[in-house]
Amino acid sequence: MVSSRRNTGGIQRDGSVRDWSEFVDPSPSPKLLYSQSYVAMRGLLSSLVSMDFALLSSRLKSAWAAILSQRHTRSPERSKSRGLSCKRLAFHLFVCFMVGIFIGFMPFFSVDVSQKIVSENGRLPFDEGAVDRGMVDGKVKELETIVVEKEVDIIDESEVEESPPVPAMLDDEADFVESAPAIPDINDLDITVRKLLIIVTITTVRPQQAYYLNRLAHVLKTVQSPLLWLVVEWPDQSFQTAEILRSSGVMYRHLICRKNTTSVRKIAVCQRNTAIYHIKKHRLDGIMHFADEERSYMSDVFEEMRKIRRFGAWPVAIHTGIKYRVVLEGPICKGNRVTGWNTIQNIQKKSAVRRFPVGFSGFAFNSTMLWDPERWNRPPMDSVIVHSGGRGGLQESRFIEKLVKHERQIEGLPEDCNRVMVAMRLLSDALLNKPHTGLHEVAVV
């Protein structure tokens, strides 16, 4: 029974395959190709269920043949469609390119055509009447202007004949005309141009600071402007110093030296170099002077400074340590020419020999020597600063040697150097108590 069923099932399956094979059509219809592949795959699945390997192989062959036939039928169609699409795209691009070129050249053609049309309209026969009318109107206007000019000439001649003679100008009127204010000449104006004075003062916080700064501020306030007071403080800006400068009435700049040291000499060198760097940075043009706050100044010395062209010096009264005994330190002059020096070299035997025996409070110089060496024929790399080395006045002498080379470049102030305008604090106190004794006991060495 089992064998008979298998045979019958196999016969039926073979028959079914034969029946489907009749419908295989090589036509390129996509629907038939789809149905054919569907039937082949269905038969493949049914054979897998029945596990008949012979029938399975036949089904696989038929399915593979259906797929290949479908590929062969679709490939030429796709190639044709791609060829047509490329041709259409190229045609569209060409048409757009030609249209763009035509549109780009259109304005030039339109301008030329319009000009031609306008030129041709001027030659049209029906516009000749308008041209003739314009010519007639122009001639009429010319005739009217000629008539008007003749009438004006006739009226002017009649007025000139009837007008009375012009009377002569009166003397009062002539004086009035001559007394008109004239524009003053710039060269005739009395305008005095003064040099800028740059006064450098170094200070530190101590009990007598307010006294010294206020005394110097009162002297500087009496000096005619322009004057700039550079106050260099160590190590920070104190409130007391700032208040004194604000209430001084003098133009000032408050600078700081932050050097971390306890040496008084090094602190003073840092403060003076801070002022020098400030002048170099801002290129201040004027007469620079190191004004010691403990010295007593006359206002005349600042006016004498404005006469300096390059470098100037003047005598300073210095206390020697003996009661009411002072000496002069500074130049000996004949006119404004320096011929020698007053020095305390013999009194202070331990001091070294100085080329220029003068202190910081005894000279002033042009500030352009610090930042414009070419103007004064100095080497450009020679930096002018204060060095910390040297005692007994060597520090000042070495600083002056960078500015001048000999006495011919130094101007003596005032005339013949016959006045003492700067003195130390002890000398000023002595002159207040005994005004005549101090001056008569001045020893010139």
Side-chain angles (χ1 to χ4, degrees):
M1 292 296 291
V2 174
S3 61
S4 64
R5 287 179 181 175
R6 287 179 179 176
N7 294 331
T8 58
I11 293 167
Q12 290 176 358
R13 291 187 185 96
D14 294 338
S16 63
V17 173
R18 290 172 185 173
D19 295 337
W20 284 105
S21 63
E22 294 176 0
F23 293 97
V24 176
D25 192 4
S27 63
S29 176
K31 293 182 179 181
L32 294 177
L33 293 172
Y34 175 75
S35 62
Q36 185 177 0
S37 61
Y38 174 75
V39 171
M41 293 301 293
R42 185 177 180 184
L44 178 63
L45 293 173
S46 63
S47 63
L48 287 172
V49 174
S50 62
M51 299 299 292
D52 191 352
F53 294 100
L55 187 60
L56 179 61
S57 62
S58 63
R59 297 293 184 184
L60 287 172
K61 290 179 181 179
S62 61
W64 183 251
I67 292 169
L68 290 176
S69 63
Q70 184 177 3
R71 288 181 179 179
H72 287 299
T73 54
R74 288 183 180 179
S75 60
E77 291 179 357
R78 288 183 179 177
S79 62
K80 291 179 181 179
S81 61
R82 288 178 181 175
L84 291 174
S85 62
C86 291
K87 290 180 180 179
R88 289 177 181 175
L89 180 62
F91 179 74
H92 287 307
L93 290 175
F94 178 75
V95 172
C96 293
F97 180 72
M98 295 303 296
V99 171
I101 292 174
F102 181 74
I103 292 172
F105 285 101
M106 276 297 291
F108 299 100
F109 297 145
S110 63
V111 171
D112 295 337
V113 171
S114 62
Q115 290 179 357
K116 290 180 180 179
I117 292 171
V118 171
S119 62
E120 290 178 357
N121 287 336
R123 299 177 183 177
L124 293 177
F126 57 81
D127 198 31
E128 293 178 357
V131 176
D132 296 338
R133 291 175 185 174
M135 293 175 64
V136 171
D137 294 337
K139 291 181 179 180
V140 170
K141 289 181 180 180
E142 291 178 359
L143 293 173
E144 290 178 354
T145 54
I146 292 169
V147 172
V148 170
E149 290 176 356
K150 289 183 178 180
E151 292 178 354
V152 171
D153 294 337
I154 294 169
I155 293 170
D156 293 338
E157 290 177 358
S158 61
E159 289 180 355
V160 168
E161 292 176 357
E162 295 176 359
S163 60
V166 178
M169 184 177 293
L170 300 176
D171 295 336
D172 297 338
E173 293 179 0
D175 296 335
F176 177 79
V177 173
E178 291 178 358
S179 63
I183 299 174
D185 190 3
I186 297 176
N187 298 323
D188 297 336
L189 297 176
D190 188 10
I191 300 175
T192 58
V193 180
R194 301 183 183 91
K195 289 184 180 180
L196 172 67
L197 293 180
I198 305 171
I199 309 301
V200 178
T201 302
I202 60 175
T203 183
T204 55
V205 177
R206 61 190 188 281
Q208 298 86 6
Q209 181 190 21
Y211 167 73
Y212 293 140
L213 286 179
N214 282 316
R215 185 181 64 175
L216 183 57
H218 284 298
V219 176
L220 296 178
K221 192 174 181 179
T222 59
V223 180
Q224 295 182 352
S225 60
L227 185 144
L228 177 61
W229 193 14
L230 296 181
V231 180
V232 187
E233 191 174 8
W234 177 88
D236 295 315
Q237 287 185 355
S238 63
F239 178 77
Q240 182 181 3
T241 305
E243 287 295 325
I244 293 171
L245 295 178
R246 290 193 191 99
S247 60
S248 64
V250 181
M251 184 173 62
Y252 71 93
R253 292 183 185 179
H254 196 178
L255 308 179
I256 304 173
C257 170
R258 299 184 182 275
K259 189 175 182 63
N260 187 12
T261 183
T262 57
S263 175
V264 178
R265 181 180 295 274
K266 292 182 179 179
I267 292 171
V269 169
C270 173
Q271 290 175 313
R272 291 189 177 98
N273 287 333
T274 300
I276 290 173
Y277 292 146
H278 183 81
I279 293 172
K280 288 181 180 179
K281 180 180 178 181
H282 298 281
R283 294 180 176 270
L284 300 179
D285 187 359
I287 304 300
M288 180 179 174
H289 170 64
F290 293 102
D292 191 350
E293 60 181 352
E294 295 184 1
R295 300 293 175 107
S296 298
Y297 287 87
M298 295 178 62
S299 59
D300 297 340
V301 69
F302 298 103
E303 297 299 335
E304 293 288 338
M305 289 181 191
R306 289 197 166 99
K307 300 177 183 178
I308 297 174
R309 192 185 68 86
R310 175 169 182 158
F311 189 95
W314 52 86
V316 179
I318 299 177
H319 187 256
T320 60
I322 303 173
K323 187 177 181 180
Y324 303 135
R325 180 176 176 80
V326 296
V327 295
L328 292 179
E329 183 182 60
I332 300 173
C333 307
K334 185 177 182 180
N336 290 329
R337 186 170 58 87
V338 177
T339 58
W341 297 94
N342 293 316
T343 179
I344 58 175
Q345 189 74 34
N346 295 331
I347 297 174
Q348 297 180 356
K349 297 180 181 179
K350 296 182 181 180
S351 61
V353 178
R354 295 180 292 172
R355 174 67 179 83
F356 298 101
V358 61
F360 281 111
S361 58
F363 67 89
F365 59 94
N366 198 317
S367 63
T368 57
M369 300 177 70
L370 300 175
W371 50 267
D372 192 7
E374 296 180 357
R375 178 180 174 183
W376 305 100
N377 297 324
R378 293 180 53 253
M381 300 302 294
D382 188 11
S383 179
V384 180
I385 59 173
V386 180
H387 295 279
S388 59
R391 293 178 180 273
L394 287 177
Q395 190 180 79
E396 296 89 334
S397 179
R398 291 172 181 174
F399 180 78
I400 297 172
E401 288 175 7
K402 290 182 174 292
L403 300 176
V404 294
K405 299 302 180 183
H406 43 76
E407 283 76 4
R408 290 193 300 273
Q409 297 177 346
I410 301 176
E411 305 168 29
L413 299 175
E415 188 74 19
D416 295 328
C417 300
N418 56 4
R419 293 176 59 195
V420 178
M421 298 179 291
V422 182
M424 290 185 64
R425 178 176 59 87
L426 294 175
L427 176 61
S428 62
D429 293 342
L431 291 175
L432 289 175
N433 297 327
K434 296 181 180 181
H436 301 288
T437 306
L439 289 177
H440 287 297
E441 292 183 359
V442 171
V444 180
V445 180

